[in-house]
Amino acid sequence: KTWPPLDPKEVELLEILILDPDLVLSALENIEITALPTETGRSLYTLYARLATDGNRPEFGYVLTQMEDPQLKSILVETDETANAKAEHVQTEAAERLDELVKGFQRDALRTAGRQQLAALENNDLNIEEEKELLQKVIEQERRRQSMSAPTDG
């Protein structure tokens, strides 16, 4: 099987989990497995999730011993190398990085929901009451999205 490359958000998530395995349950509370865009990311995150919910501390070495697919192992090893190289230069703690990543996933989810709702409005699939309700939801979601501070470069 050929695994697709990880999305940058998935790389960030896995780097955080590699650097601080105690954050797995917190990540799971805030980022659904289905929110990850690639099968590769979902498979690795599912493994971390399974180990953590079974009561095991998903430290990098232990996670590797639980994997059978050599290509997935290789992807995780590469991610570990970049995580450790980055950790030497990044001042931000893993928990803080996770908070920023969660906000990014939430913004994406709101954008997607907004697009779907706007499409429903444009298709005239709704009666006038449903349209009013949906428009109010869209406005509320947009207000929430705008109140989340966008990440700053620096």
Side-chain angles (χ1 to χ4, degrees):
K1 174 173 179 119
T2 302
W3 294 92
L6 291 169
D7 176 87
K9 285 193 300 194
E10 294 171 323
V11 171
E12 177 73 359
L13 175 61
L14 290 168
E15 285 178 0
I16 291 165
L17 301 183
I18 287 168
L19 294 172
D20 191 346
D22 294 327
L23 291 174
V24 173
L25 293 175
S26 177
L28 283 169
E29 287 174 17
N30 295 290
I31 301 171
E32 291 184 31
I33 292 168
T34 56
L36 274 57
T38 71
E39 186 184 355
T40 309
R42 288 188 299 272
S43 294
L44 291 168
Y45 192 37
T46 299
L47 176 60
Y48 270 88
R50 184 173 51 79
L51 296 174
T53 54
D54 285 350
N56 298 300
R57 188 166 190 265
E59 290 182 9
F60 177 72
Y62 180 68
V63 174
L64 275 184
T65 66
Q66 302 301 304
M67 298 175 73
E68 293 176 13
D69 186 297
Q71 191 187 359
L72 263 186
K73 270 187 181 180
S74 173
I75 291 168
L76 194 62
V77 168
E78 284 174 32
T79 307
D80 173 63
E81 290 167 1
T82 59
N84 287 302
K86 196 185 283 184
E88 293 174 18
H89 306 288
V90 174
Q91 300 301 313
T92 314
E93 292 295 319
E96 227 177 295
R97 287 172 65 189
L98 180 60
D99 286 343
E100 285 305 309
L101 190 63
V102 165
K103 287 177 188 168
F105 273 101
Q106 288 170 340
R107 278 192 298 272
D108 291 350
L110 284 174
R111 266 191 225 112
T112 300
R115 278 195 296 270
Q116 290 168 342
Q117 290 164 340
L118 289 173
L121 287 170
E122 288 170 358
N123 293 335
N124 294 321
D125 295 338
L126 309 169
N127 69 38
I128 193 72
E129 280 307 308
E130 290 171 323
E131 272 191 30
K132 272 177 33 185
E133 208 174 289
L134 190 53
L135 268 173
Q136 287 175 323
K137 255 192 203 168
V138 169
I139 291 167
E140 180 55 36
Q141 286 172 340
E142 186 59 21
R143 283 187 183 136
R144 265 192 313 208
R145 190 182 68 77
Q146 288 180 5
S147 72
M148 287 183 205
S149 62
T152 54
D153 291 336

